[in-house]
Amino acid sequence: MIALTALMSAVTVGAHRSAVASPSDAEALTALAGNPAIRTLFGEPVALHDAGGFAVWRTGTVLSVLLAVWGLLAATRITRGEEDAGRWDVLLAGRVPVGKVVALRLATLLAWALLAGAGAFSGLVAAGAAVGGATAHAAGLALCGVFFATVGALTAQVFAARPAASGAAVAVLGVGMLLKMVGDGIGGLEWLRWFTPLGMAALARPYDEDRLGPLAVLGAVCVVLVVAAVTAAGGRDVRGGYLPPSSGRAPRRALLGSTPAFAVRRLLRPLAAWSAGIGAYYLLIGVLAVSMTAFLAANPRFAELAAQAGFGGLATVEGYVATLFALLAVPVGAFAAVRLAGLAQDETSRRLVLLLAQPVTRVRVLTAEVTAAVGGAVVLTTVAGLATWAGARAVGAGLGFLAALSGAWNVLPVVFLCLGAGALALTWAPRAVAMVGGVPAAGGFLLKVFADTWGWPTWVGRMSPFTHLAAVPAVSVDRLAAMVMMVIGVFAVVVGAVGYRRRDLRV
C-alpha cells in the first residue's frame, strides 16, 4: 500500500504535465470535471490547474478507499481472526489482558496507515508537486486509513465472529462512500461530506485552501474510536463479543448436501456484495458514455495521451466501454483469487481437517471451489455488462445489448489465469494465495500501462495478458488469444490440484 500510494501519486502528477499542455486543455478538463456524474465518480474538482491538485482529484478517492479496505480487513484478521483460530488462547491465559493485545495490534496498523500517507506525500513531492498541498492530502489519506482500521478493530470486539465484524466494517465504508458521492454530485447536499471520513479528507481541499479544520475533526473522531475499541476489548470475555451470534434461529440446511453445493453456499453472500459494487460502478460508466466520448472527440489531446498509455479508441462509445471493460478483469480476478484464499484460510484455521479425514478428496474440494469461483466470475461480468448497457441506454448512447455483454465476458480468460495462479499458490505458498492469484489481473494491467506509457520493449508489454485482449465490443473477440489464456489457466489449476493432493495439510 505504501508503494502504491507513492507510485500512483507520482505518476498522476507527471500525467498532468503532459495532459494539460495549454490553457485550453485546462479549461476543457475543468468543464468535464464539472459534470455531475464525473463529480460523483471522482469527487469535487479542486485546483485542476495544478499538477498536485489534479493528482488529488484523480487518485484521492481511489487511494482512500483502498486504504480503508486494507485497514478494516487487516484489523479484523489480526484481532478477531487470530482469536477465532485459537492462536490467542495460551497468550491470554497468562497475565496479558485482551485490551493490551488489541491495543498493540491496533497501534501497529495505525503506524502503517500513517506510513502509507507518508508514501503519498513522498510521491507527490518527488514528482514536483507543492509541499503544502501534499501535506494536506497525505494527512487525509492517512486518517482515512486510521479511521477504518480502528472501525475494523472496534467491530471485532462487538461481534463474536470475524465474518460479522468484517461485514459491519465494510457496511460503514459503504455508507461513507455513498454519503461522499451524494455530497459531491448533488448541489446543496455538500454538508453530507462532514459525516464521512472520505468527505472530510476531501474538504481539506489540498492545493487550493489546505484546510486543517476538517482534518482536525477527523483526527478527533479517530481518537475517540481508538479509545472505544481498546475499552471494548478490555470489557469482554475471550472469544466473546457484545453481540454474540444468535443460537436460537432455525437451522438453514440449504446447499449443504454436497461439496459443490456448499461451495456455492459460501459464494452467495460475497457474490451479492461484489455484484452490487461492480454493478453500481458500471452503471455510472454507462451513464458517462455520451459525455466522455463527446469530451474526447472535442479534445483530441486527451485521446492521444490515452492512446499512448494503451487505451485507444476512446472517442467512440464502443471504444470507451471496451477500455473500461478491460479494467473489469482486475476486480473479477481479485474476487476469484480471494475465493481460493478462503480455502487456504480454512485449512490453516483447521476447518478442513475433519472434512478431509472423510472420503472427500482435496481435489474434489478444490474443484468445487474453482467451479464456484468461475460461476461467480460469470455472474459479475454479466452484471457489469447489463449495468453498462442500462446506463448507456438511459442517455441514448446507442450501445447494443449483446455488445455490452460480449465486452464484459471478454475478460474471463484473465480470470482463468488468476484461478490458475491461485491454485499454484495454494500448493507452494498458501499464505500468499490472494496476492499471487491477483498478479495476472492487477499486475498484468499495471505492466501494460507502464510498458505503453514509458516505451518499454515490446516483449515486456506482451507479457501482460491485457495486451492480448481484443477491444470488445469495438472489435471482434480474439478467439485464439482467449483460448490460449484459458488453456493456460486450466493447466495451472490441474498442476495446482496435483500438488495440493500430494502435500501435507498445514495446520
Side-chain angles (χ1 to χ4, degrees):
M1 290 304 303
I2 295 171
L4 182 63
T5 54
L7 183 62
M8 286 186 65
S9 301
V11 168
T12 311
V13 170
H16 177 271
R17 295 197 180 96
S18 57
V20 187
S22 66
S24 60
D25 289 339
E27 293 175 2
L29 181 61
T30 302
L32 175 68
N35 185 300
I38 295 290
R39 288 170 60 98
T40 300
L41 187 61
F42 294 111
E44 178 188 10
V46 175
L48 295 185
H49 63 280
D50 187 278
F54 173 78
V56 171
W57 175 70
R58 188 64 185 84
T59 66
T61 299
V62 175
L63 291 177
S64 296
V65 172
L66 289 176
L67 278 173
V69 172
W70 172 82
L72 66 89
L73 292 180
T76 57
R77 179 176 65 83
I78 68 172
T79 55
R80 177 59 63 178
E82 294 288 296
E83 192 171 353
D84 286 348
R87 287 188 279 269
W88 283 12
D89 291 352
V90 176
L91 174 65
L92 297 179
R95 298 182 178 181
V96 182
V98 177
K100 182 177 180 179
V101 177
V102 171
L104 290 174
R105 277 152 178 75
L106 181 56
T108 302
L109 285 175
L110 302 190
W112 284 113
L114 294 175
L115 286 174
F121 175 86
S122 301
L124 289 171
V125 174
V131 173
T135 302
H137 176 55
L141 282 180
L143 287 173
C144 283
V146 168
F147 179 93
F148 284 103
T150 310
V151 167
L154 180 58
T155 57
Q157 314 314 310
V158 174
F159 295 92
R162 182 189 173 191
S166 297
V170 169
V172 173
L173 173 59
V175 172
M177 290 178 61
L178 180 61
L179 290 175
K180 182 182 184 298
M181 292 172 72
V182 172
D184 287 333
I186 300 178
L189 295 179
E190 297 89 348
W191 55 270
L192 288 175
R193 291 180 289 181
W194 282 100
F195 294 91
T196 166
L198 304 175
M200 283 189 276
L203 286 170
R205 300 178 68 86
Y207 293 98
D208 182 30
E209 300 179 25
D210 297 334
R211 298 174 180 170
L212 297 180
L215 298 179
V217 173
L218 180 55
V221 173
C222 290
V223 171
V224 172
L225 288 175
V226 169
V227 173
V230 175
T231 303
R236 65 172 177 84
D237 292 333
V238 177
R239 296 213 191 182
Y242 293 93
L243 293 176
S246 174
S247 58
R249 68 186 181 190
R252 296 176 293 177
R253 300 188 178 92
L255 299 176
L256 290 177
S258 66
T259 302
F262 183 62
V264 173
R265 175 182 171 126
R266 285 157 46 90
L267 180 78
L268 291 179
R269 186 174 295 180
L271 179 62
W274 283 75
S275 297
I278 288 177
Y281 178 80
Y282 276 90
L283 177 64
L284 188 59
I285 292 302
V287 171
L288 291 173
V290 172
S291 60
M292 284 296 298
T293 53
F295 167 78
L296 291 169
N299 299 274
R301 171 64 176 166
F302 291 93
E304 292 173 5
L305 291 171
Q308 292 175 10
F311 304 111
L314 290 176
T316 65
V317 171
E318 289 77 10
Y320 164 74
V321 297
T323 299
L324 274 299
F325 278 143
L327 296 176
L328 178 63
V330 177
V332 178
F335 169 82
V338 167
R339 299 315 305 161
L340 292 187
L343 181 62
Q345 179 63 31
D346 288 339
E347 182 182 349
T348 57
S349 299
R350 305 184 183 93
R351 287 189 288 269
L352 282 180
V353 175
L354 293 179
L355 174 64
L356 296 179
Q358 303 296 319
V360 178
T361 65
R362 299 185 208 181
V363 173
R364 183 179 176 185
V365 173
L366 177 59
T367 301
E369 291 292 338
V370 169
T371 304
V374 170
V378 172
V379 171
L380 290 177
T381 52
T382 303
V383 167
L386 292 174
T388 304
W389 171 78
R393 183 179 176 84
V395 297
L399 179 65
F401 178 77
L402 292 180
L405 287 179
S406 62
W409 290 337
N410 186 53
V411 304
L412 286 174
V414 180
V415 178
F416 273 81
L417 293 177
C418 291
L419 286 170
L424 293 174
L426 184 64
T427 299
W428 289 284
R431 291 183 178 271
V433 171
M435 182 177 65
V436 174
V439 166
F445 176 75
L446 291 176
L447 177 61
K448 181 180 187 302
V449 172
F450 293 156
D452 290 339
T453 302
W454 294 330
W456 290 354
T458 303
W459 66 268
V460 176
R462 293 187 64 82
M463 294 175 63
S464 168
F466 288 86
T467 302
H468 308 284
L469 280 182
V472 182
V475 299
S476 300
V477 177
D478 187 339
R479 301 181 186 277
L480 177 61
M483 185 62 67
V484 169
M485 284 190 280
M486 294 179 71
V487 169
I488 293 174
V490 172
F491 178 75
V493 169
V494 172
V495 173
V498 173
Y500 184 48
R501 181 178 64 86
R502 295 176 63 87
R503 72 165 171 81
D504 290 336
L505 285 176
R506 299 177 183 273
V507 296

